[in-house]
Amino acid sequence: VFGDTDTMKTVSVLEGDSVTLNSSLTKIQTDDKIAWMSGNKRSCIARINRETKKVLNVSDVSFRDRLKLDNQTGSLTITNTRTTDSGLYEVSVSNSITETKHGFNVTVYARLPVPAIGNSSNSLSPSVSKCSFLCSALNVSRVTLSWYKGNSLLSIISVSDLSISLSLPLELDCLDDSYSCVVAYSFTNQTTHLTNTQLCPTCSVKGSVTLIALISAAGSLLIVAAAGLFRICRKHREADQEVQTRAEEITYTDPVFKRNVQRARVKQENDAVYASVIHKR
């Protein structure tokens, strides 16, 4: 901070816009003198002498035709600002009794680019089917680059005073309309919404496909289970038939054993016991 100022204000403005530095006066008095200075050398760029009712611009070449002084309040307006206008400014308000000074730290920022969203070939999880995006901002400084889902911050990266290109990846299972990429200064931003369904299916479509796949899988399992039950029942039926057939096809290979079996059956029939019945008169 240069000079002995009573206050120091920070002012931010985008390149090409106008900025007004207030003198803090509501109206210049008859004997007030207003002087505006800029830079470390405190070069006078404009002044007003209310006593002579003259507005004098003493601007250098860099401010030519871009300075306006309010002859009622003494406020200074810089039009069509440039990044080279960034720096310290001071206003001195003096009269025969007092002198008051106010300082301004002015920063003129370059215009923000609109962030570009493209498909990313560098997937963080190549084994998993995901949609990969990359948001980029070229030749930026003193900015942040962020991904948002609605109002919720997902990821962020920042750069200081160096002018570089920033990129920030994002991976999604499916796409809806709430994702956006934002490049921002502390006081303004540029936003691009992620709506490219050619690179990623919408969540509603993916949900329908998943439901159909689940139904198909369930149907396939039912068919496999039914086929398995049919085969088991068929095997049991064939096994029962085989046992019955084997029981009916018993063959006696020993003739003697066969005759003994037949005699045993006849003997059982002849050995029947008849109990005598006595009839009483």
Side-chain angles (χ1 to χ4, degrees):
V1 179
F2 69 92
D4 298 324
T5 59
D6 295 335
T7 59
M8 175 63 68
K9 296 182 179 179
T10 299
V11 180
S12 299
V13 62
L14 286 178
E15 185 177 21
D17 291 346
S18 297
V19 59
T20 297
L21 307 178
N22 295 316
S23 67
S24 74
L25 296 176
T26 56
K27 187 177 181 179
I28 300 176
Q29 301 302 315
T30 302
D31 60 343
D32 284 343
K33 296 179 181 179
I34 312 295
W36 283 94
M37 289 158 284
S38 173
N40 292 329
K41 295 182 179 181
R42 302 178 67 182
S43 301
C44 184
I45 57 175
R47 65 185 178 184
I48 296 177
N49 190 334
R50 187 65 174 175
E51 185 176 9
T52 59
K53 298 182 180 180
K54 289 183 180 180
V55 177
L56 302 176
N57 290 334
V58 196
S59 68
D60 57 24
V61 176
S62 61
F63 289 106
R64 181 171 297 172
D65 300 325
R66 296 193 299 118
L67 296 180
K68 292 181 180 180
L69 272 172
D70 188 325
N71 62 358
Q72 296 297 318
T73 64
S75 296
L76 176 70
T77 298
I78 306 173
T79 63
N80 190 24
T81 55
R82 306 167 184 173
T83 55
T84 53
D85 295 338
S86 298
L88 298 171
Y89 293 78
E90 182 184 83
V91 59
S92 173
V93 181
S94 62
N95 52 42
S96 58
I97 301 176
T98 62
E99 180 181 12
T100 303
K101 297 179 181 179
H102 301 287
F104 301 85
N105 187 2
V106 177
T107 304
V108 181
Y109 290 85
R111 290 274 172 181
L112 284 171
V114 177
I117 298 177
N119 192 22
S120 173
S121 58
N122 296 324
S123 175
L124 297 178
S125 303
S127 61
V128 181
S129 177
K130 288 183 177 292
C131 305
S132 300
F133 296 96
L134 191 67
C135 182
S136 303
L138 304 179
N139 300 323
V140 291
S141 61
R142 295 175 289 185
V143 303
T144 59
L145 187 65
S146 311
W147 277 109
Y148 281 85
K149 178 176 174 59
N151 294 323
S152 300
L153 178 64
L154 298 178
S155 58
I156 187 171
I157 189 174
S158 62
V159 63
S160 58
D161 291 339
L162 298 177
S163 181
I164 63 173
S165 297
L166 288 179
S167 296
L168 192 62
L170 176 69
E171 283 201 342
L172 301 174
D173 292 322
C174 57
L175 179 65
D176 58 36
D177 295 334
S178 62
Y179 292 93
S180 59
C181 182
V182 180
V183 58
Y185 293 128
S186 59
F187 61 98
T188 188
N189 65 72
Q190 287 277 18
T191 301
T192 299
H193 293 281
L194 179 56
T195 57
N196 194 344
T197 56
Q198 294 179 350
L199 300 178
C200 188
T202 61
C203 293
S204 58
V205 171
K206 187 165 185 177
S208 300
V209 172
T210 303
L211 180 60
I212 293 173
L214 289 174
I215 294 174
S216 300
S220 300
L221 289 175
L222 288 175
I223 293 173
V224 171
L229 289 174
F230 175 77
R231 291 178 180 176
I232 292 172
C233 293
R234 184 175 179 180
K235 287 182 178 179
H236 280 293
R237 189 181 300 112
E238 291 177 351
D240 292 342
Q241 291 176 353
E242 183 178 355
V243 170
Q244 183 177 359
T245 301
R246 288 178 178 176
E248 293 177 352
E249 292 179 352
I250 295 175
T251 303
Y252 298 100
T253 57
D254 188 351
V256 175
F257 179 76
K258 183 176 181 180
R259 284 195 300 269
N260 292 336
V261 170
Q262 292 175 349
R263 290 174 181 174
R265 289 179 179 174
V266 173
K267 182 178 181 182
Q268 288 178 356
E269 292 177 356
N270 294 332
D271 289 343
V273 177
Y274 298 95
S276 59
V277 179
I278 300 173
H279 181 69
K280 293 182 180 181
R281 294 181 179 179

